[in-house]
Amino acid sequence: MDNSLNNNDKKSQNTRFYDPYRDLKVPIHNLYNLPTSPDNLFPELANRTYRPWNEKLTYYTGIACLTGAVGGGITGTLDGIRAAERGDSFKIRVNRVLNSGIQRGRRLGNSLGSLGLIFSVTESTIQYFTDRDDMVNSAAAGLATGALFKAASGPRSAVIAGVLGGIAAAATVAGKQALRRYVPI
């Protein structure tokens, strides 16, 4: 009997009660016992301190593509506004603005999305072989991403892009760590 009490105490420490109708003034109260620790589909993922490769792939590619599409759309729209000529009708001006915004947004979104894809695959591969998640992995992945992205432009362009990619990735990770340390969120 004492054993069952200890098991219930342990179980109650790892759960919390949740009442979805608490703020509504209804007489029905359903209490649910929810776990306080995150649920993992696979038990081997519970001990990892970093994101798995599939989450990184989706996150980096999506964020890069969205950032490129929005940034390119804004700059393309501004270019379309600047390119408007004096004798153009309103419909022609709107058409020019929309076309230039969509064209630039699509081009930049696809370019940054492919950079995010290459970076996530490279970083996950390096992390798999080194079994660490640190700034060196991100810098090496940035270096490889820049070099692979500009490889078709020649070796000089690939080296320059690789160095810039490594510096950008290292700066991003360092900035993220500085924000965590000095900005209370």
Side-chain angles (χ1 to χ4, degrees):
M1 176 136 175
D2 189 27
N3 232 354
S4 66
L5 286 177
N6 286 340
N7 285 341
N8 285 341
D9 287 343
K10 286 180 184 178
K11 200 178 224 183
S12 67
Q13 288 175 353
N14 295 334
T15 60
R16 63 182 173 89
F17 287 112
Y18 174 69
D19 182 10
Y21 304 107
R22 179 184 51 186
D23 294 334
L24 304 173
K25 298 192 172 33
V26 293
I28 301 170
H29 290 288
N30 293 334
L31 291 177
Y32 297 102
N33 236 356
L34 298 179
T36 56
S37 62
D39 291 335
N40 291 307
L41 185 59
F42 303 108
E44 61 268 12
L45 295 179
N47 298 330
R48 288 195 179 166
T49 58
Y50 51 85
R51 289 184 182 163
W53 67 271
N54 54 353
E55 283 184 27
K56 285 183 181 182
L57 180 78
T58 307
Y59 179 75
Y60 290 154
T61 306
I63 289 294
C65 186
L66 182 65
T67 302
V70 169
I74 289 170
T75 57
T77 300
L78 294 175
D79 286 347
I81 291 170
R82 282 188 213 112
E85 295 176 5
R86 193 146 173 80
D88 289 344
S89 68
F90 180 72
K91 285 184 178 182
I92 301 271
R93 287 181 185 187
V94 168
N95 190 10
R96 182 180 306 213
V97 166
L98 290 176
N99 284 341
S100 63
I102 290 170
Q103 183 180 14
R104 173 91 47 103
R106 182 182 62 235
R107 191 178 304 145
L108 193 59
N110 287 338
S111 295
L112 287 182
S114 64
L115 277 173
L117 177 74
I118 295 168
F119 180 80
S120 67
V121 168
T122 308
E123 186 183 37
S124 296
T125 303
I126 293 171
Q127 188 175 352
Y128 175 78
F129 285 114
T130 61
D131 202 28
R132 291 181 299 154
D133 186 23
D134 56 359
M135 193 160 121
V136 176
N137 288 354
S138 295
L143 185 116
T145 299
L148 282 172
F149 190 71
K150 285 294 186 179
S153 299
R156 183 174 182 208
S157 295
V159 168
I160 291 171
V163 169
L164 290 176
I167 290 171
T172 302
V173 172
K176 183 177 163 185
Q177 289 175 355
L179 277 176
R180 276 192 195 153
R181 186 173 187 179
Y182 296 114
V183 177
I185 294 177

PDB file of all heavy atoms in Angstrom, residues 50-90:
ATOM      1  N   TYR A  50      19.407  19.619 -28.759  1.00  0.00           N
ATOM      2  CA  TYR A  50      19.317  20.401 -29.982  1.00  0.00           C
ATOM      3  C   TYR A  50      18.183  19.870 -30.840  1.00  0.00           C
ATOM      4  O   TYR A  50      17.662  18.785 -30.615  1.00  0.00           O
ATOM      5  CB  TYR A  50      20.639  20.374 -30.747  1.00  0.00           C
ATOM      6  CG  TYR A  50      21.197  18.985 -30.984  1.00  0.00           C
ATOM      7  CD1 TYR A  50      20.780  18.221 -32.065  1.00  0.00           C
ATOM      8  CD2 TYR A  50      22.135  18.439 -30.129  1.00  0.00           C
ATOM      9  CE1 TYR A  50      21.280  16.961 -32.275  1.00  0.00           C
ATOM     10  CE2 TYR A  50      22.646  17.166 -30.337  1.00  0.00           C
ATOM     11  CZ  TYR A  50      22.212  16.435 -31.417  1.00  0.00           C
ATOM     12  OH  TYR A  50      22.706  15.183 -31.625  1.00  0.00           O
ATOM     13  N   ARG A  51      17.815  20.674 -31.831  1.00  0.00           N
ATOM     14  CA  ARG A  51      16.726  20.290 -32.719  1.00  0.00           C
ATOM     15  C   ARG A  51      17.164  19.177 -33.668  1.00  0.00           C
ATOM     16  O   ARG A  51      18.287  19.188 -34.151  1.00  0.00           O
ATOM     17  CB  ARG A  51      16.304  21.477 -33.579  1.00  0.00           C
ATOM     18  CG  ARG A  51      15.594  22.539 -32.835  1.00  0.00           C
ATOM     19  CD  ARG A  51      15.157  23.594 -33.804  1.00  0.00           C
ATOM     20  NE  ARG A  51      14.505  24.679 -33.094  1.00  0.00           N
ATOM     21  CZ  ARG A  51      14.304  25.848 -33.604  1.00  0.00           C
ATOM     22  NH1 ARG A  51      14.711  26.124 -34.804  1.00  0.00           N
ATOM     23  NH2 ARG A  51      13.702  26.772 -32.907  1.00  0.00           N
ATOM     24  N   PRO A  52      16.261  18.255 -33.989  1.00  0.00           N
ATOM     25  CA  PRO A  52      16.615  17.235 -34.983  1.00  0.00           C
ATOM     26  C   PRO A  52      16.692  17.835 -36.387  1.00  0.00           C
ATOM     27  O   PRO A  52      16.233  18.956 -36.635  1.00  0.00           O
ATOM     28  CB  PRO A  52      15.484  16.216 -34.872  1.00  0.00           C
ATOM     29  CG  PRO A  52      14.412  16.865 -34.101  1.00  0.00           C
ATOM     30  CD  PRO A  52      14.989  18.014 -33.357  1.00  0.00           C
ATOM     31  N   TRP A  53      17.250  17.081 -37.313  1.00  0.00           N
ATOM     32  CA  TRP A  53      17.516  17.598 -38.659  1.00  0.00           C
ATOM     33  C   TRP A  53      16.252  18.026 -39.384  1.00  0.00           C
ATOM     34  O   TRP A  53      16.258  19.015 -40.110  1.00  0.00           O
ATOM     35  CB  TRP A  53      18.267  16.555 -39.497  1.00  0.00           C
ATOM     36  CG  TRP A  53      17.447  15.342 -39.816  1.00  0.00           C
ATOM     37  CD1 TRP A  53      17.326  14.207 -39.086  1.00  0.00           C
ATOM     38  CD2 TRP A  53      16.606  15.177 -40.963  1.00  0.00           C
ATOM     39  NE1 TRP A  53      16.464  13.336 -39.691  1.00  0.00           N
ATOM     40  CE2 TRP A  53      16.010  13.901 -40.853  1.00  0.00           C
ATOM     41  CE3 TRP A  53      16.305  15.965 -42.059  1.00  0.00           C
ATOM     42  CZ2 TRP A  53      15.129  13.410 -41.799  1.00  0.00           C
ATOM     43  CZ3 TRP A  53      15.419  15.470 -43.003  1.00  0.00           C
ATOM     44  CH2 TRP A  53      14.856  14.203 -42.864  1.00  0.00           C
ATOM     45  N   ASN A  54      15.151  17.307 -39.193  1.00  0.00           N
ATOM     46  CA  ASN A  54      13.937  17.646 -39.934  1.00  0.00           C
ATOM     47  C   ASN A  54      13.321  18.967 -39.456  1.00  0.00           C
ATOM     48  O   ASN A  54      12.779  19.721 -40.244  1.00  0.00           O
ATOM     49  CB  ASN A  54      12.928  16.505 -39.879  1.00  0.00           C
ATOM     50  CG  ASN A  54      12.611  16.058 -38.474  1.00  0.00           C
ATOM     51  OD1 ASN A  54      13.236  16.503 -37.503  1.00  0.00           O
ATOM     52  ND2 ASN A  54      11.653  15.179 -38.339  1.00  0.00           N
ATOM     53  N   GLU A  55      13.443  19.265 -38.165  1.00  0.00           N
ATOM     54  CA  GLU A  55      12.951  20.552 -37.673  1.00  0.00           C
ATOM     55  C   GLU A  55      13.809  21.698 -38.203  1.00  0.00           C
ATOM     56  O   GLU A  55      13.292  22.744 -38.581  1.00  0.00           O
ATOM     57  CB  GLU A  55      12.965  20.577 -36.144  1.00  0.00           C
ATOM     58  CG  GLU A  55      11.826  19.814 -35.518  1.00  0.00           C
ATOM     59  CD  GLU A  55      11.825  19.956 -34.010  1.00  0.00           C
ATOM     60  OE1 GLU A  55      12.326  20.969 -33.485  1.00  0.00           O
ATOM     61  OE2 GLU A  55      11.305  19.039 -33.352  1.00  0.00           O
ATOM     62  N   LYS A  56      15.130  21.496 -38.215  1.00  0.00           N
ATOM     63  CA  LYS A  56      16.025  22.527 -38.743  1.00  0.00           C
ATOM     64  C   LYS A  56      15.753  22.775 -40.221  1.00  0.00           C
ATOM     65  O   LYS A  56      15.740  23.913 -40.675  1.00  0.00           O
ATOM     66  CB  LYS A  56      17.485  22.113 -38.563  1.00  0.00           C
ATOM     67  CG  LYS A  56      17.987  22.233 -37.168  1.00  0.00           C
ATOM     68  CD  LYS A  56      19.441  21.859 -37.141  1.00  0.00           C
ATOM     69  CE  LYS A  56      19.995  21.940 -35.762  1.00  0.00           C
ATOM     70  NZ  LYS A  56      21.419  21.635 -35.715  1.00  0.00           N
ATOM     71  N   LEU A  57      15.556  21.700 -40.965  1.00  0.00           N
ATOM     72  CA  LEU A  57      15.305  21.820 -42.396  1.00  0.00           C
ATOM     73  C   LEU A  57      14.062  22.650 -42.660  1.00  0.00           C
ATOM     74  O   LEU A  57      14.076  23.597 -43.450  1.00  0.00           O
ATOM     75  CB  LEU A  57      15.159  20.425 -43.020  1.00  0.00           C
ATOM     76  CG  LEU A  57      14.883  20.380 -44.506  1.00  0.00           C
ATOM     77  CD1 LEU A  57      16.168  20.636 -45.263  1.00  0.00           C
ATOM     78  CD2 LEU A  57      14.316  19.037 -44.884  1.00  0.00           C
ATOM     79  N   THR A  58      12.991  22.344 -41.966  1.00  0.00           N
ATOM     80  CA  THR A  58      11.747  23.065 -42.155  1.00  0.00           C
ATOM     81  C   THR A  58      11.871  24.516 -41.685  1.00  0.00           C
ATOM     82  O   THR A  58      11.436  25.443 -42.380  1.00  0.00           O
ATOM     83  CB  THR A  58      10.617  22.374 -41.370  1.00  0.00           C
ATOM     84  OG1 THR A  58      10.581  20.999 -41.740  1.00  0.00           O
ATOM     85  CG2 THR A  58       9.281  23.003 -41.647  1.00  0.00           C
ATOM     86  N   TYR A  59      12.477  24.717 -40.541  1.00  0.00           N
ATOM     87  CA  TYR A  59      12.581  26.060 -39.968  1.00  0.00           C
ATOM     88  C   TYR A  59      13.476  26.965 -40.813  1.00  0.00           C
ATOM     89  O   TYR A  59      13.060  28.066 -41.195  1.00  0.00           O
ATOM     90  CB  TYR A  59      13.109  25.959 -38.534  1.00  0.00           C
ATOM     91  CG  TYR A  59      13.276  27.283 -37.859  1.00  0.00           C
ATOM     92  CD1 TYR A  59      12.167  27.992 -37.402  1.00  0.00           C
ATOM     93  CD2 TYR A  59      14.529  27.848 -37.678  1.00  0.00           C
ATOM     94  CE1 TYR A  59      12.310  29.217 -36.791  1.00  0.00           C
ATOM     95  CE2 TYR A  59      14.681  29.073 -37.065  1.00  0.00           C
ATOM     96  CZ  TYR A  59      13.571  29.742 -36.619  1.00  0.00           C
ATOM     97  OH  TYR A  59      13.712  30.956 -36.021  1.00  0.00           O
ATOM     98  N   TYR A  60      14.694  26.535 -41.088  1.00  0.00           N
ATOM     99  CA  TYR A  60      15.629  27.393 -41.828  1.00  0.00           C
ATOM    100  C   TYR A  60      15.142  27.684 -43.247  1.00  0.00           C
ATOM    101  O   TYR A  60      15.229  28.816 -43.718  1.00  0.00           O
ATOM    102  CB  TYR A  60      17.020  26.758 -41.896  1.00  0.00           C
ATOM    103  CG  TYR A  60      17.761  26.707 -40.588  1.00  0.00           C
ATOM    104  CD1 TYR A  60      18.720  25.741 -40.354  1.00  0.00           C
ATOM    105  CD2 TYR A  60      17.520  27.624 -39.577  1.00  0.00           C
ATOM    106  CE1 TYR A  60      19.420  25.686 -39.161  1.00  0.00           C
ATOM    107  CE2 TYR A  60      18.206  27.576 -38.383  1.00  0.00           C
ATOM    108  CZ  TYR A  60      19.154  26.606 -38.187  1.00  0.00           C
ATOM    109  OH  TYR A  60      19.842  26.561 -37.012  1.00  0.00           O
ATOM    110  N   THR A  61      14.621  26.681 -43.919  1.00  0.00           N
ATOM    111  CA  THR A  61      14.145  26.888 -45.281  1.00  0.00           C
ATOM    112  C   THR A  61      12.932  27.815 -45.299  1.00  0.00           C
ATOM    113  O   THR A  61      12.851  28.740 -46.115  1.00  0.00           O
ATOM    114  CB  THR A  61      13.803  25.546 -45.945  1.00  0.00           C
ATOM    115  OG1 THR A  61      14.936  24.680 -45.847  1.00  0.00           O
ATOM    116  CG2 THR A  61      13.427  25.724 -47.387  1.00  0.00           C
ATOM    117  N   GLY A  62      12.001  27.587 -44.397  1.00  0.00           N
ATOM    118  CA  GLY A  62      10.796  28.412 -44.358  1.00  0.00           C
ATOM    119  C   GLY A  62      11.069  29.855 -43.987  1.00  0.00           C
ATOM    120  O   GLY A  62      10.564  30.786 -44.631  1.00  0.00           O
ATOM    121  N   ILE A  63      11.883  30.063 -42.962  1.00  0.00           N
ATOM    122  CA  ILE A  63      12.200  31.426 -42.539  1.00  0.00           C
ATOM    123  C   ILE A  63      12.960  32.167 -43.632  1.00  0.00           C
ATOM    124  O   ILE A  63      12.685  33.335 -43.926  1.00  0.00           O
ATOM    125  CB  ILE A  63      13.007  31.408 -41.225  1.00  0.00           C
ATOM    126  CG1 ILE A  63      12.127  30.984 -40.062  1.00  0.00           C
ATOM    127  CG2 ILE A  63      13.654  32.748 -40.933  1.00  0.00           C
ATOM    128  CD1 ILE A  63      11.023  31.951 -39.716  1.00  0.00           C
ATOM    129  N   ALA A  64      13.925  31.495 -44.253  1.00  0.00           N
ATOM    130  CA  ALA A  64      14.712  32.149 -45.306  1.00  0.00           C
ATOM    131  C   ALA A  64      13.839  32.490 -46.511  1.00  0.00           C
ATOM    132  O   ALA A  64      13.944  33.591 -47.067  1.00  0.00           O
ATOM    133  CB  ALA A  64      15.873  31.250 -45.721  1.00  0.00           C
ATOM    134  N   CYS A  65      12.984  31.571 -46.909  1.00  0.00           N
ATOM    135  CA  CYS A  65      12.113  31.813 -48.063  1.00  0.00           C
ATOM    136  C   CYS A  65      11.129  32.955 -47.777  1.00  0.00           C
ATOM    137  O   CYS A  65      10.929  33.839 -48.612  1.00  0.00           O
ATOM    138  CB  CYS A  65      11.368  30.530 -48.407  1.00  0.00           C
ATOM    139  SG  CYS A  65      10.408  30.632 -49.908  1.00  0.00           S
ATOM    140  N   LEU A  66      10.547  32.953 -46.602  1.00  0.00           N
ATOM    141  CA  LEU A  66       9.597  34.007 -46.230  1.00  0.00           C
ATOM    142  C   LEU A  66      10.287  35.366 -46.125  1.00  0.00           C
ATOM    143  O   LEU A  66       9.768  36.375 -46.617  1.00  0.00           O
ATOM    144  CB  LEU A  66       8.920  33.655 -44.904  1.00  0.00           C
ATOM    145  CG  LEU A  66       7.859  34.631 -44.412  1.00  0.00           C
ATOM    146  CD1 LEU A  66       6.685  34.648 -45.378  1.00  0.00           C
ATOM    147  CD2 LEU A  66       7.408  34.254 -43.031  1.00  0.00           C
ATOM    148  N   THR A  67      11.470  35.390 -45.522  1.00  0.00           N
ATOM    149  CA  THR A  67      12.216  36.642 -45.406  1.00  0.00           C
ATOM    150  C   THR A  67      12.579  37.192 -46.785  1.00  0.00           C
ATOM    151  O   THR A  67      12.437  38.395 -47.043  1.00  0.00           O
ATOM    152  CB  THR A  67      13.498  36.424 -44.577  1.00  0.00           C
ATOM    153  OG1 THR A  67      13.121  35.924 -43.291  1.00  0.00           O
ATOM    154  CG2 THR A  67      14.278  37.702 -44.413  1.00  0.00           C
ATOM    155  N   GLY A  68      13.043  36.313 -47.657  1.00  0.00           N
ATOM    156  CA  GLY A  68      13.394  36.747 -49.007  1.00  0.00           C
ATOM    157  C   GLY A  68      12.193  37.232 -49.788  1.00  0.00           C
ATOM    158  O   GLY A  68      12.268  38.233 -50.511  1.00  0.00           O
ATOM    159  N   ALA A  69      11.065  36.549 -49.651  1.00  0.00           N
ATOM    160  CA  ALA A  69       9.869  36.949 -50.390  1.00  0.00           C
ATOM    161  C   ALA A  69       9.353  38.300 -49.910  1.00  0.00           C
ATOM    162  O   ALA A  69       8.996  39.164 -50.718  1.00  0.00           O
ATOM    163  CB  ALA A  69       8.787  35.889 -50.244  1.00  0.00           C
ATOM    164  N   VAL A  70       9.335  38.513 -48.613  1.00  0.00           N
ATOM    165  CA  VAL A  70       8.848  39.789 -48.086  1.00  0.00           C
ATOM    166  C   VAL A  70       9.830  40.913 -48.413  1.00  0.00           C
ATOM    167  O   VAL A  70       9.427  41.985 -48.899  1.00  0.00           O
ATOM    168  CB  VAL A  70       8.605  39.690 -46.557  1.00  0.00           C
ATOM    169  CG1 VAL A  70       8.352  41.054 -45.953  1.00  0.00           C
ATOM    170  CG2 VAL A  70       7.442  38.766 -46.278  1.00  0.00           C
ATOM    171  N   GLY A  71      11.120  40.678 -48.162  1.00  0.00           N
ATOM    172  CA  GLY A  71      12.121  41.709 -48.462  1.00  0.00           C
ATOM    173  C   GLY A  71      12.185  42.039 -49.941  1.00  0.00           C
ATOM    174  O   GLY A  71      12.260  43.210 -50.334  1.00  0.00           O
ATOM    175  N   GLY A  72      12.168  41.008 -50.782  1.00  0.00           N
ATOM    176  CA  GLY A  72      12.178  41.233 -52.224  1.00  0.00           C
ATOM    177  C   GLY A  72      10.913  41.906 -52.708  1.00  0.00           C
ATOM    178  O   GLY A  72      10.944  42.743 -53.611  1.00  0.00           O
ATOM    179  N   GLY A  73       9.783  41.544 -52.115  1.00  0.00           N
ATOM    180  CA  GLY A  73       8.524  42.193 -52.487  1.00  0.00           C
ATOM    181  C   GLY A  73       8.521  43.676 -52.150  1.00  0.00           C
ATOM    182  O   GLY A  73       8.054  44.505 -52.930  1.00  0.00           O
ATOM    183  N   ILE A  74       9.080  44.006 -50.997  1.00  0.00           N
ATOM    184  CA  ILE A  74       9.128  45.421 -50.597  1.00  0.00           C
ATOM    185  C   ILE A  74      10.067  46.202 -51.513  1.00  0.00           C
ATOM    186  O   ILE A  74       9.715  47.283 -52.009  1.00  0.00           O
ATOM    187  CB  ILE A  74       9.552  45.546 -49.122  1.00  0.00           C
ATOM    188  CG1 ILE A  74       8.423  45.049 -48.216  1.00  0.00           C
ATOM    189  CG2 ILE A  74       9.918  46.980 -48.769  1.00  0.00           C
ATOM    190  CD1 ILE A  74       8.804  44.912 -46.763  1.00  0.00           C
ATOM    191  N   THR A  75      11.268  45.676 -51.756  1.00  0.00           N
ATOM    192  CA  THR A  75      12.205  46.412 -52.619  1.00  0.00           C
ATOM    193  C   THR A  75      11.705  46.474 -54.060  1.00  0.00           C
ATOM    194  O   THR A  75      11.883  47.490 -54.733  1.00  0.00           O
ATOM    195  CB  THR A  75      13.611  45.784 -52.583  1.00  0.00           C
ATOM    196  OG1 THR A  75      13.523  44.413 -52.981  1.00  0.00           O
ATOM    197  CG2 THR A  75      14.226  45.878 -51.203  1.00  0.00           C
ATOM    198  N   GLY A  76      11.064  45.397 -54.539  1.00  0.00           N
ATOM    199  CA  GLY A  76      10.502  45.415 -55.885  1.00  0.00           C
ATOM    200  C   GLY A  76       9.369  46.411 -56.012  1.00  0.00           C
ATOM    201  O   GLY A  76       9.240  47.105 -57.036  1.00  0.00           O
ATOM    202  N   THR A  77       8.557  46.515 -54.982  1.00  0.00           N
ATOM    203  CA  THR A  77       7.470  47.485 -54.993  1.00  0.00           C
ATOM    204  C   THR A  77       8.015  48.913 -55.017  1.00  0.00           C
ATOM    205  O   THR A  77       7.523  49.766 -55.766  1.00  0.00           O
ATOM    206  CB  THR A  77       6.568  47.284 -53.759  1.00  0.00           C
ATOM    207  OG1 THR A  77       6.034  45.963 -53.806  1.00  0.00           O
ATOM    208  CG2 THR A  77       5.435  48.281 -53.721  1.00  0.00           C
ATOM    209  N   LEU A  78       9.041  49.164 -54.226  1.00  0.00           N
ATOM    210  CA  LEU A  78       9.655  50.495 -54.232  1.00  0.00           C
ATOM    211  C   LEU A  78      10.293  50.805 -55.582  1.00  0.00           C
ATOM    212  O   LEU A  78      10.207  51.939 -56.066  1.00  0.00           O
ATOM    213  CB  LEU A  78      10.682  50.611 -53.106  1.00  0.00           C
ATOM    214  CG  LEU A  78      10.117  50.559 -51.689  1.00  0.00           C
ATOM    215  CD1 LEU A  78      11.239  50.566 -50.660  1.00  0.00           C
ATOM    216  CD2 LEU A  78       9.155  51.707 -51.448  1.00  0.00           C
ATOM    217  N   ASP A  79      10.922  49.808 -56.202  1.00  0.00           N
ATOM    218  CA  ASP A  79      11.486  50.008 -57.539  1.00  0.00           C
ATOM    219  C   ASP A  79      10.388  50.312 -58.560  1.00  0.00           C
ATOM    220  O   ASP A  79      10.563  51.142 -59.453  1.00  0.00           O
ATOM    221  CB  ASP A  79      12.268  48.777 -57.988  1.00  0.00           C
ATOM    222  CG  ASP A  79      13.598  48.653 -57.277  1.00  0.00           C
ATOM    223  OD1 ASP A  79      14.022  49.635 -56.630  1.00  0.00           O
ATOM    224  OD2 ASP A  79      14.197  47.565 -57.372  1.00  0.00           O
ATOM    225  N   GLY A  80       9.250  49.624 -58.440  1.00  0.00           N
ATOM    226  CA  GLY A  80       8.130  49.879 -59.341  1.00  0.00           C
ATOM    227  C   GLY A  80       7.555  51.268 -59.173  1.00  0.00           C
ATOM    228  O   GLY A  80       7.157  51.910 -60.147  1.00  0.00           O
ATOM    229  N   ILE A  81       7.525  51.737 -57.936  1.00  0.00           N
ATOM    230  CA  ILE A  81       7.042  53.101 -57.694  1.00  0.00           C
ATOM    231  C   ILE A  81       8.008  54.120 -58.291  1.00  0.00           C
ATOM    232  O   ILE A  81       7.599  55.098 -58.927  1.00  0.00           O
ATOM    233  CB  ILE A  81       6.848  53.338 -56.179  1.00  0.00           C
ATOM    234  CG1 ILE A  81       5.669  52.506 -55.671  1.00  0.00           C
ATOM    235  CG2 ILE A  81       6.642  54.808 -55.870  1.00  0.00           C
ATOM    236  CD1 ILE A  81       5.518  52.476 -54.167  1.00  0.00           C
ATOM    237  N   ARG A  82       9.312  53.884 -58.135  1.00  0.00           N
ATOM    238  CA  ARG A  82      10.311  54.809 -58.678  1.00  0.00           C
ATOM    239  C   ARG A  82      10.335  54.797 -60.205  1.00  0.00           C
ATOM    240  O   ARG A  82      10.673  55.793 -60.831  1.00  0.00           O
ATOM    241  CB  ARG A  82      11.699  54.437 -58.157  1.00  0.00           C
ATOM    242  CG  ARG A  82      11.940  54.879 -56.750  1.00  0.00           C
ATOM    243  CD  ARG A  82      13.399  54.671 -56.356  1.00  0.00           C
ATOM    244  NE  ARG A  82      13.442  54.350 -54.948  1.00  0.00           N
ATOM    245  CZ  ARG A  82      13.788  53.180 -54.429  1.00  0.00           C
ATOM    246  NH1 ARG A  82      14.173  52.198 -55.189  1.00  0.00           N
ATOM    247  NH2 ARG A  82      13.774  52.996 -53.136  1.00  0.00           N
ATOM    248  N   ALA A  83       9.988  53.658 -60.808  1.00  0.00           N
ATOM    249  CA  ALA A  83      10.065  53.538 -62.262  1.00  0.00           C
ATOM    250  C   ALA A  83       8.831  54.085 -62.979  1.00  0.00           C
ATOM    251  O   ALA A  83       8.785  54.083 -64.207  1.00  0.00           O
ATOM    252  CB  ALA A  83      10.262  52.074 -62.650  1.00  0.00           C
ATOM    253  N   ALA A  84       7.847  54.526 -62.229  1.00  0.00           N
ATOM    254  CA  ALA A  84       6.634  55.055 -62.842  1.00  0.00           C
ATOM    255  C   ALA A  84       6.959  56.301 -63.665  1.00  0.00           C
ATOM    256  O   ALA A  84       7.703  57.182 -63.227  1.00  0.00           O
ATOM    257  CB  ALA A  84       5.604  55.387 -61.770  1.00  0.00           C
ATOM    258  N   GLU A  85       6.395  56.343 -64.866  1.00  0.00           N
ATOM    259  CA  GLU A  85       6.650  57.482 -65.754  1.00  0.00           C
ATOM    260  C   GLU A  85       5.503  58.480 -65.660  1.00  0.00           C
ATOM    261  O   GLU A  85       4.390  58.152 -65.249  1.00  0.00           O
ATOM    262  CB  GLU A  85       6.824  56.970 -67.183  1.00  0.00           C
ATOM    263  CG  GLU A  85       8.053  56.092 -67.331  1.00  0.00           C
ATOM    264  CD  GLU A  85       8.181  55.496 -68.721  1.00  0.00           C
ATOM    265  OE1 GLU A  85       7.368  55.850 -69.600  1.00  0.00           O
ATOM    266  OE2 GLU A  85       9.087  54.683 -68.903  1.00  0.00           O
ATOM    267  N   ARG A  86       5.764  59.666 -66.089  1.00  0.00           N
ATOM    268  CA  ARG A  86       4.821  60.771 -65.930  1.00  0.00           C
ATOM    269  C   ARG A  86       3.519  60.561 -66.699  1.00  0.00           C
ATOM    270  O   ARG A  86       2.451  60.886 -66.204  1.00  0.00           O
ATOM    271  CB  ARG A  86       5.486  62.062 -66.386  1.00  0.00           C
ATOM    272  CG  ARG A  86       4.748  63.290 -66.004  1.00  0.00           C
ATOM    273  CD  ARG A  86       5.764  64.374 -65.715  1.00  0.00           C
ATOM    274  NE  ARG A  86       5.201  65.668 -65.494  1.00  0.00           N
ATOM    275  CZ  ARG A  86       4.660  66.062 -64.351  1.00  0.00           C
ATOM    276  NH1 ARG A  86       4.594  65.233 -63.355  1.00  0.00           N
ATOM    277  NH2 ARG A  86       4.201  67.282 -64.222  1.00  0.00           N
ATOM    278  N   GLY A  87       3.538  60.022 -67.869  1.00  0.00           N
ATOM    279  CA  GLY A  87       2.336  59.902 -68.689  1.00  0.00           C
ATOM    280  C   GLY A  87       1.551  58.611 -68.464  1.00  0.00           C
ATOM    281  O   GLY A  87       0.538  58.393 -69.130  1.00  0.00           O
ATOM    282  N   ASP A  88       1.982  57.763 -67.558  1.00  0.00           N
ATOM    283  CA  ASP A  88       1.310  56.479 -67.337  1.00  0.00           C
ATOM    284  C   ASP A  88      -0.034  56.672 -66.641  1.00  0.00           C
ATOM    285  O   ASP A  88      -0.180  57.536 -65.775  1.00  0.00           O
ATOM    286  CB  ASP A  88       2.165  55.552 -66.466  1.00  0.00           C
ATOM    287  CG  ASP A  88       3.384  55.026 -67.185  1.00  0.00           C
ATOM    288  OD1 ASP A  88       3.423  55.118 -68.426  1.00  0.00           O
ATOM    289  OD2 ASP A  88       4.303  54.513 -66.497  1.00  0.00           O
ATOM    290  N   SER A  89      -0.987  55.823 -67.025  1.00  0.00           N
ATOM    291  CA  SER A  89      -2.267  55.851 -66.339  1.00  0.00           C
ATOM    292  C   SER A  89      -2.138  55.122 -64.995  1.00  0.00           C
ATOM    293  O   SER A  89      -1.143  54.458 -64.720  1.00  0.00           O
ATOM    294  CB  SER A  89      -3.339  55.182 -67.199  1.00  0.00           C
ATOM    295  OG  SER A  89      -3.084  53.793 -67.297  1.00  0.00           O
ATOM    296  N   PHE A  90      -3.174  55.244 -64.181  1.00  0.00           N
ATOM    297  CA  PHE A  90      -3.153  54.627 -62.863  1.00  0.00           C
ATOM    298  C   PHE A  90      -3.039  53.105 -62.965  1.00  0.00           C
ATOM    299  O   PHE A  90      -2.304  52.477 -62.200  1.00  0.00           O
ATOM    300  CB  PHE A  90      -4.411  55.029 -62.079  1.00  0.00           C
ATOM    301  CG  PHE A  90      -4.473  54.439 -60.712  1.00  0.00           C
ATOM    302  CD1 PHE A  90      -3.629  54.896 -59.702  1.00  0.00           C
ATOM    303  CD2 PHE A  90      -5.351  53.409 -60.417  1.00  0.00           C
ATOM    304  CE1 PHE A  90      -3.679  54.339 -58.439  1.00  0.00           C
ATOM    305  CE2 PHE A  90      -5.405  52.854 -59.158  1.00  0.00           C
ATOM    306  CZ  PHE A  90      -4.566  53.322 -58.161  1.00  0.00           C
TER     307      PHE A  90
END
